[in-house]
Amino acid sequence: MIKEAVIGTLCGAVVLTIGILIGHFGIKKNSAPSWVSDVAKDVDEALIQQFLSEVDTTQIQGNLRELTKVPHMATSPGDEETVQFVLKRWQDPETGLDKAWRQEYKIYLSFPNPDKPNSVTVVNPSDSVLFTVKEREVPYTDDQKDPQVVQPYAAYSPLGKAQGKLVFANQGKPSDFHLLNQTIDLRGTIAITRYGGEGRGQKAINAAAYGVIGLLVYTDPLDMNDGLMSDTNETYPHSWYLPPTGVERGAYSRDFGDLLTPHLAAKEETYRIQPEEITGIPPIPTQPIGFEDASKLICELAGEEAPKKWQGGFNCTYNFGGPGFKPTSPFNNSDVKLEIFNEAKIINSSNVMGIIRGSVEPDRYVIYGNHRDSWVHGAIDPSSGTSVMLEITRVLGRMVKQGKWRPRRSIIFGSWGAEEFGLIGSAEYTEEYFTKLSERTVGYINVDISVFANATLRASAMPSMQSVIFKAAQQVIAPGYDSTSVYDNWIRYTNRTSPTHGLIPRVGYLNGAGSDYAAFVHYLGIASIDMSYTYDRSKTNARIYPAYHTAYDTFDYASKFIDPGFVSHQAVGRTAGNILIRLADSLLLPFNCNDYAESLEDYLNTAVTLYQTQLQANSISMEPLKQAVANFRRAAEQLHKVIQSTDLANETPLKIRKINDQLMLMDRAFLNPLAFPNDYGFRHVIWASSSSGNSTFPGIADAFAQAESSGLVTDWRKVHYHLSVVTQAIEGAADMLNDVI
């Protein structure tokens, strides 16, 4: 019995020992759940190379051809066709996104009356018509004959008639009307101005302040065509230059977003102000015209010769106007008469939204956007950008569908509606999801016009995003070269010397509200990029591509004169997509706050040079601002050291998240909702729009210009106010970069 017990005990011991050995050697040491390795993953360079190789010019060309089949002004039947096209692509079972949907807003838009075309005529004292401005542009291709091509008009110009003697007011700036008014009594006149120098709608506001009762706006061939004017052999269809009857359409409004629902998303039951309460739109009848007709009016004007800076490309001397025409003119003693029949309506407009869900941080968003609506066919503006966005989503969507990739963070794609009427689709989206986007959005990439021309990359961004733009541009081959990168080509065209990096490409700032980045930058304080390929500015004076907002911006124009072969579209798609993947996949966000510090120091140096002496004379010290910028520099350098010394792959997820939140939220510290009460939507005290023309802190610059002009104590106190606003904002941003309290 004892023997059996001993044998049993020994057998049990052997079994236990074997079990322990199996357990010891059979189970891997340091085993961890699968999510641990996912959390520690960084951006995959091999995947980026695969993405770059798959972006296809043929696909982009096909996208553009489809998008430009018909005119697609916001809310038009053509616009609905593009909604359905984008939805179909993003819901494709093989190359689509995880989810795509349309998002509707009910917005206030302005259209010409199809039954009563706007008209501009010259009439004599007996009201006989001596001259009539063309209602429509001359067609050269079947595209331009499409009945859906909208008559040139000024969106948001009021309904009304105006008749008076004509005067020439250059660019319609306040200084232009001030000078003109010293010579001519402007009350009751009609003014003609050229595009440029001032916002479209603001020209009319400036004119009305001097008693002008109607406004014409045209594109001067000197500003757009390098002086060329003949469609026989010089302009389109023979080159990229604007034909004589080409007219730039546009929204003549100052503020972005739906004009009846400021600070609120324009939903069905949203509270709306009354149309007569809208500010920032023309108070007088306004109409754009072609330069062929403008020349027939301007070259007949009487009065003093306009200053040299006002002279343009017509083969005549530009005079102020008598007011009115020369005694020797066939229009002598005649008036210009505007009859505007625009009508406003509240109408549904759609954004198309799509998403690829993140695998590790799905509550962190990288947003990529481009508007979809155009004034006519819009091959360049905006369909060059939409065609690139659709190619990026095709390549990434297929990777997701095939199980080869899923981003760390969620990617949201926005095809914005009604941008041309004042950035409406993107603005309403940010107003509807204000809190969520403020708390969760890592960055926004805007590619509106992807290709202005085919010479070089152009980018504007928050300074912290400079490094990721450069990294992406260095990995893409420039169009027309075998080995030269987009970065190396870019630096040849526009560059600057950085105290830190030496000679680098020049990245612009996102001042103003030129495209859909505006609400993300100025309203939400989200780090953003706007980029495109553009032209060699040493070879042309064109302020933008010449067919801009005209009936000539067609597939034919884009494929022949802007980007034959679509290789510049491809380069932008590769560069923007590379940046998108890095923002979505990098373990640590690829932001460099030292570059932001350098920009703040540049702004400070300019401010000290321009303003310090007079500020001291008014007992206002700049020392707090100098100290704030120095504090930001120290905080940026300290955070950079922490990042460089951190073993990211073995660091705790919470520490990585903390650093990323510091980087993501830093720009939010520059927001002040009370800083610019007269500038709707502008809350970012570093990048807000400025009228001063000086590259420095906008609030200080504009307040200083006003105080210097008036000399009033109250205006100098306003300078002090803006100095304090920006000082405390910079201190707040520095605190955001510091370690926890």
Side-chain angles (χ1 to χ4, degrees):
M1 190 73 179
I2 296 173
K3 181 179 179 182
E4 291 175 356
V6 171
I7 292 172
T9 301
L10 290 172
C11 288
V14 170
V15 170
L16 178 61
T17 301
I18 292 172
I20 292 171
L21 291 172
I22 290 173
H24 178 74
F25 291 104
I27 300 175
K28 293 181 180 179
K29 293 183 179 180
N30 300 323
S31 64
S34 60
W35 61 262
V36 172
S37 60
D38 291 337
V39 166
K41 279 183 181 177
D42 208 340
V43 65
D44 184 345
E45 293 292 341
L47 182 132
I48 287 178
Q49 291 303 317
Q50 180 184 346
F51 167 82
L52 297 179
S53 69
E54 293 184 14
V55 175
D56 187 352
T57 55
T58 303
Q59 292 285 341
I60 295 171
Q61 180 177 359
N63 292 341
L64 190 66
R65 192 185 297 276
E66 184 68 29
L67 288 162
T68 57
K69 278 185 175 179
V70 295
H72 49 283
M73 186 170 62
T75 74
S76 70
D79 185 31
E80 178 59 26
E81 287 186 32
T82 64
V83 168
Q84 295 301 327
F85 177 61
V86 174
L87 270 175
K88 182 180 179 181
R89 291 291 300 272
W90 286 356
Q91 293 172 342
D92 186 278
E94 295 183 356
T95 61
L97 308 177
D98 289 333
K99 183 181 178 183
W101 65 98
R102 70 189 298 160
Q103 193 145 2
E104 301 248 331
Y105 297 101
K106 211 168 185 67
I107 62 175
Y108 181 78
L109 300 184
S110 165
F111 302 101
N113 187 324
D115 300 320
K116 293 182 178 180
N118 297 340
S119 69
V120 179
T121 55
V122 177
V123 295
N124 65 18
S126 62
D127 209 33
S128 297
V129 175
L130 305 180
F131 175 73
T132 301
V133 167
K134 292 180 178 63
E135 287 181 7
R136 295 185 177 273
E137 294 143 308
V138 169
Y140 300 100
T141 67
D142 289 341
D143 287 340
Q144 291 132 30
K145 298 175 184 177
D146 192 304
Q148 289 297 312
V149 172
V150 68
Q151 175 198 4
Y153 77 111
Y156 300 113
S157 166
L159 174 78
K161 299 179 182 180
Q163 181 174 331
K165 295 292 187 289
L166 188 67
V167 296
F168 174 59
N170 192 30
Q171 295 179 324
K173 302 188 297 291
S175 58
D176 294 333
F177 283 109
H178 176 74
L179 177 63
L180 191 59
N181 197 53
Q182 292 177 340
T183 303
I184 300 170
D185 182 356
L186 293 175
R187 290 174 296 178
T189 62
I190 306 293
I192 183 168
T193 65
R194 66 215 284 182
Y195 274 118
E198 183 68 278
R200 297 185 193 98
Q202 194 62 40
K203 294 176 190 288
I205 294 170
N206 297 341
Y210 284 87
V212 174
I213 60 172
L215 183 74
L216 301 176
V217 187
Y218 78 101
T219 299
D220 197 280
L222 186 65
D223 303 330
M224 189 71 90
N225 276 16
D226 298 317
L228 301 179
M229 292 186 286
S230 172
D231 61 354
T232 302
N233 58 0
E234 293 178 333
T235 68
Y236 182 81
H238 309 285
S239 74
W240 82 323
Y241 289 118
L242 180 68
T245 62
V247 182
E248 178 183 322
R249 300 150 179 82
Y252 280 63
S253 54
R254 180 184 61 207
D255 300 331
F256 58 84
D258 177 59
L259 296 178
L260 294 183
T261 59
H263 303 293
L264 296 170
K267 310 297 282 187
E268 180 79 34
E269 300 300 328
T270 301
Y271 167 79
R272 287 171 167 80
I273 65 174
Q274 294 301 305
E276 55 268 23
E277 297 178 78
I278 296 172
T279 59
I281 60 176
I284 55 177
T286 302
Q287 177 70 15
I289 66 174
F291 69 73
E292 180 179 74
D293 288 329
S295 69
K296 294 175 181 176
L297 298 176
I298 290 174
C299 289
E300 296 296 330
L301 284 175
E304 293 183 16
E305 181 177 332
K308 184 177 181 180
K309 289 183 179 180
W310 290 30
Q311 300 299 316
F314 300 145
N315 189 26
C316 68
T317 298
Y318 290 35
N319 297 326
F320 286 147
F325 300 106
K326 301 172 186 175
T328 56
S329 168
F331 303 153
N332 177 40
N333 203 31
S334 297
D335 291 341
V336 170
K337 183 177 181 180
L338 279 71
E339 294 183 283
I340 306 301
F341 300 101
N342 292 352
E343 51 189 16
K345 59 180 71 174
I346 297 175
I347 189 170
N348 282 334
S349 175
S350 298
N351 292 340
V352 181
M353 307 302 299
I355 187 169
I356 300 176
R357 294 185 184 87
S359 59
V360 179
E361 300 181 79
D363 64 329
R364 289 293 179 261
Y365 310 148
V366 181
I367 305 177
Y368 185 113
N370 162 242
H371 74 97
R372 190 187 61 259
D373 66 300
S374 65
W375 284 110
V376 192
H377 292 85
I380 301 304
D381 182 11
S383 299
S384 65
T386 307
S387 63
V388 165
M389 179 167 66
L390 289 176
E391 176 60 0
I392 290 172
T393 59
R394 181 191 71 84
V395 176
L396 296 182
R398 184 166 63 179
M399 290 179 177
V400 170
K401 297 294 187 184
Q402 293 177 346
K404 295 180 179 179
W405 173 75
R406 182 164 290 279
R408 177 186 188 89
R409 303 175 184 93
S410 295
I411 302 175
I412 298 172
F413 293 95
S415 175
W416 313 120
E419 185 268 0
E420 295 293 5
F421 287 85
L423 319 180
I424 294 178
S426 57
E428 301 313 298
Y429 177 75
T430 59
E431 288 173 339
E432 182 170 9
Y433 300 106
F434 176 85
T435 301
K436 181 167 70 172
L437 296 176
S438 295
E439 297 296 327
R440 297 181 177 181
T441 306
V442 166
Y444 175 69
I445 301 171
N446 192 69
V447 182
D448 181 341
I449 298 172
S450 71
V451 179
F452 288 89
N454 54 10
T456 180
L457 188 70
R458 175 213 62 83
S460 298
M462 263 67 160
S464 54
M465 303 185 86
Q466 173 182 276
S467 58
V468 71
I469 298 171
F470 288 171
K471 177 70 173 178
Q474 287 165 344
Q475 293 185 306
V476 177
I477 299 300
Y481 294 92
D482 294 327
S483 58
T484 301
S485 70
V486 166
Y487 177 93
D488 289 334
N489 183 60
W490 181 11
I491 206 171
R492 296 171 181 170
Y493 285 93
T494 176
N495 56 66
R496 70 179 182 91
T497 300
S498 160
T500 305
H501 308 294
L503 191 69
I504 57 174
R506 182 177 295 278
V507 176
Y509 297 142
L510 291 173
N511 314 105
S515 187
D516 287 300
Y517 59 78
F520 292 94
V521 172
H522 301 299
Y523 196 55
L524 296 179
I526 290 169
S528 300
I529 298 171
D530 182 69
M531 61 187 301
S532 64
Y533 236 70
T534 191
Y535 44 88
D536 182 351
R537 292 189 177 274
S538 70
K539 294 182 178 179
T540 177
N541 290 322
R543 61 181 176 84
I544 197 169
Y545 74 97
Y548 175 68
H549 287 191
T550 73
Y552 306 113
D553 186 1
T554 61
F555 181 86
D556 176 73
Y557 180 83
S559 60
K560 286 182 179 177
F561 302 115
I562 300 298
D563 188 23
F566 292 86
V567 289
S568 295
H569 285 75
Q570 181 187 51
V572 172
R574 285 171 167 171
T575 306
N578 190 335
I579 295 168
L580 177 64
I581 294 170
R582 292 183 183 282
L583 292 179
D585 268 0
S586 294
L587 180 59
L588 202 68
L589 291 174
F591 294 169
N592 188 332
C593 293
N594 279 330
D595 291 335
Y596 218 123
E598 185 175 300
S599 292
L600 293 178
E601 288 161 353
D602 284 345
Y603 264 30
L604 175 64
N605 291 337
T606 300
V608 169
T609 300
L610 294 176
Y611 310 137
Q612 181 167 261
T613 300
Q614 285 180 265
L615 290 181
Q616 287 174 339
N618 285 275
S619 302
I620 302 172
S621 173
M622 297 190 74
E623 292 308 311
L625 179 58
K626 295 176 184 178
Q627 187 60 49
V629 172
N631 289 343
F632 185 94
R633 167 62 79 178
R634 281 192 291 271
E637 289 179 345
Q638 179 57 36
L639 181 60
H640 187 70
K641 288 177 183 177
V642 170
I643 292 171
Q644 293 298 309
S645 63
T646 299
D647 183 2
L648 298 177
N650 295 308
E651 194 50 80
T652 64
L654 287 179
K655 182 173 181 180
I656 299 299
R657 179 81 163 203
K658 178 182 77 71
I659 294 174
N660 280 339
D661 281 353
Q662 288 176 283
L663 294 169
M664 178 182 76
L665 296 173
M666 184 270 293
D667 252 296
R668 314 293 199 272
F670 291 120
L671 298 179
N672 186 318
L674 303 178
F676 310 106
N678 297 322
D679 294 320
Y680 175 79
F682 286 91
R683 310 194 309 157
H684 200 298
V685 302
I686 307 299
W687 308 125
S689 181
S690 170
S691 59
S692 72
N694 295 320
S695 185
T696 187
F697 306 108
I700 297 174
D702 287 352
F704 183 92
Q706 176 61 32
E708 187 178 42
S709 174
S710 72
L712 297 175
V713 172
T714 52
D715 284 339
W716 285 111
R717 288 175 59 82
K718 199 69 174 177
V719 180
H720 193 178
Y721 167 75
H722 278 286
L723 188 66
S724 296
V725 165
V726 75
T727 296
Q728 293 189 19
I730 295 171
E731 290 283 14
D735 284 339
M736 186 66 74
L737 301 182
N738 285 328
D739 208 345
V740 293
I741 296 173

